[in-house]
Amino acid sequence: MKLKFGSVEENVVTREEFPLEKAREVLKDEVIAVLGYGVQGPGQALNLKDNGFNVIVGQRKDSKTWDKAVADGWVPGETLFELEEACEKGTILQFLLSDAGQIALWPTVKKHLTPGKALYFSHGFGVTYKEKTGIVPPADVDVILVAPKGSGTSLRRMFVEGRGLNSSYAIFQDGTGKAKDRVVALGIGVGSGYLFETDFYREVTSDLTGERGTLMGAIQGIFAAQYEVLRANGHTPSEAFNETVEELTQSLMPLVAENGMDWMYANCSTTAQRGALDWWKPFRDATKPVFEELYDSVKTGKEAQKSIDSNSKSDYRVKLEAELKELRDSEMWQAGATVRKLRPENN
């Protein structure tokens, strides 16, 4: 159906028009092989299985993620296989390894993309930046995308709660004439609340911008800046954290999620309203040049190359843990750990 988002009309698919029963019928003869059991793999695989689809998992044996898959109920030799065997068995290959992992495994996956199969992504990176990744699918397969707008952990949690996480969907290549039904059925199957249409390029450029921007990078930067100013002016760690992070995440953002920013403003004091309305545009004007610089770095492929270069190094995970430890050990997030312990539901 078509719905207006502001003044722009877009294509969306809802569960009402494409119910789970229809999705099961579309995919009744398919073997869905989920390749990779790291970030998106567990949530998508478990949701598909719980929704009644024929799912197997491909993962490197003797790894922590293999052990996690076993702990989640996947049975070696029945529903859990080495990556190449899963590629051979699957008719739909859900390529959910990291971007660097996809580059390394691509020769194996390509070998098993026989005519009529489908290659599924949850990120447009590998295909969009094909000159950097070498990922060029054969012409006689479907190449499709379902990108849940959140982490695999959130996708699974919301599914278990009976909710749904919205996702984008795209068709890069319709090699069989069945790509549209396949991608929508998979989107419903993994637990999407609704699906909105995109393409691989728009998905990856918006996603890379969002992750580096308001979803992760910018929000941490803004948190740190305000926290540091409050601390420099004599506020205690608990007060600075509560006024920077805790009130936002626990009180205000749920109101935004419920009914929009104006609704959240309307449910705050008149003093808070006045200050927010006076200051949001100066913050927009101050940060917009940074977002423009960021988007240019994404659009030109610089961010993709940085990701490939960094994530392909043998010591990547060691360096990553050191960077995460720097965040975790900062005073702000140490204060946050104490604040979380004090929440009533944790006592």
Side-chain angles (χ1 to χ4, degrees):
M1 69 170 65
K2 289 187 179 293
L3 291 176
K4 277 195 171 181
F5 292 79
S7 61
V8 178
E9 197 170 65
E10 299 184 37
N11 291 320
V12 299
V13 180
T14 66
R15 295 179 185 181
E16 287 71 29
E17 64 179 301
F18 205 108
L20 184 57
E21 294 74 18
K22 182 176 179 179
R24 291 193 189 111
E25 178 64 24
V26 168
L27 301 178
K28 65 181 180 181
D29 297 322
E30 307 277 12
V31 177
I32 304 166
V34 176
L35 308 178
Y37 207 74
V39 178
Q40 280 289 336
Q44 294 199 33
L46 290 168
N47 290 0
L48 283 163
K49 183 175 75 169
D50 288 351
N51 270 334
F53 296 92
N54 185 12
V55 188
I56 62 174
V57 170
Q59 183 56 48
R60 288 190 304 274
K61 204 170 184 179
D62 301 321
S63 65
K64 290 181 180 179
T65 42
W66 176 279
D67 295 339
K68 174 175 170 51
V70 172
D72 284 347
W74 303 98
V75 180
E78 295 181 16
T79 55
L80 177 61
F81 302 92
E82 289 271 14
L83 284 160
E84 181 156 10
E85 188 172 0
C87 289
E88 184 179 2
K89 290 179 177 294
T91 60
I92 296 173
L93 306 186
Q94 293 199 188
F95 208 8
L96 300 183
L97 278 78
S98 68
D99 295 322
Q102 288 183 11
I103 295 170
L105 192 68
W106 175 241
T108 300
V109 172
K110 185 176 181 180
K111 180 171 64 174
H112 293 287
L113 279 174
T114 51
K117 287 193 175 186
L119 179 63
Y120 166 112
F121 294 88
S122 282
H123 192 26
F125 190 101
V127 169
T128 299
Y129 300 114
K130 59 183 182 294
E131 71 283 355
K132 302 178 186 297
T133 66
I135 297 176
V136 180
D140 50 9
V141 301
D142 294 337
V143 183
I144 55 181
L145 173 146
V146 174
K149 297 299 106 180
S151 71
T153 300
S154 299
L155 181 72
R156 181 60 179 168
R157 283 179 180 172
M158 293 176 76
F159 177 87
V160 171
E161 293 168 0
R163 301 161 63 201
L165 192 65
N166 58 302
S167 304
S168 60
Y169 77 94
I171 300 168
F172 180 79
Q173 179 173 286
D174 186 359
T176 68
K178 302 185 296 182
K180 177 67 179 295
D181 279 351
R182 272 173 151 176
V183 72
V184 173
L186 288 161
I188 297 299
V190 300
S192 303
Y194 73 91
L195 296 154
F196 64 92
E197 189 176 24
T198 188
D199 59 41
F200 275 58
Y201 175 80
R202 286 191 290 126
E203 189 284 327
V204 72
T205 49
S206 61
D207 191 64
L208 292 178
T209 301
E211 291 165 349
R212 287 149 180 76
T214 58
L215 301 178
M216 296 173 68
I219 196 68
Q220 164 62 18
I222 290 171
F223 282 165
Q226 178 169 303
Y227 182 89
E228 289 167 11
V229 167
L230 289 171
R231 289 289 287 123
N233 283 278
H235 298 274
T236 64
S238 63
E239 186 168 61
F241 186 86
N242 273 290
E243 293 295 344
T244 300
V245 179
E246 189 75 352
E247 185 174 347
L248 176 69
T249 60
Q250 298 303 297
S251 173
L252 302 182
M253 289 312 293
L255 292 176
V256 176
E258 181 182 326
N259 210 20
M261 187 66 75
D262 63 309
W263 169 251
M264 184 265 275
Y265 281 15
N267 281 275
C268 293
S269 71
T270 54
T271 301
Q273 291 168 5
R274 183 70 268 141
L277 290 167
D278 286 346
W279 277 93
W280 79 262
K281 289 179 182 178
F283 277 110
R284 178 200 61 191
D285 295 343
T287 59
K288 191 174 179 181
V290 181
F291 282 101
E292 289 171 339
E293 180 184 354
L294 166 58
Y295 193 82
D296 184 68
S297 186
V298 170
K299 186 171 63 174
T300 57
K302 290 179 184 176
E303 292 302 309
Q305 193 62 56
K306 285 181 193 176
S307 179
I308 292 169
D309 292 345
S310 173
N311 299 353
S312 298
K313 292 178 180 176
S314 59
D315 61 350
Y316 164 70
R317 293 196 177 278
V318 174
K319 289 183 176 178
L320 172 66
E321 178 52 35
E323 290 179 289
L324 294 177
K325 186 175 186 298
E326 180 185 355
L327 281 179
R328 187 166 55 246
D329 290 348
S330 68
E331 184 190 85
M332 180 172 72
W333 290 111
Q334 286 295 303
T338 303
V339 169
R340 288 193 296 277
K341 289 177 184 176
L342 293 171
R343 290 176 187 164
E345 65 268 24
N346 294 330
N347 288 286

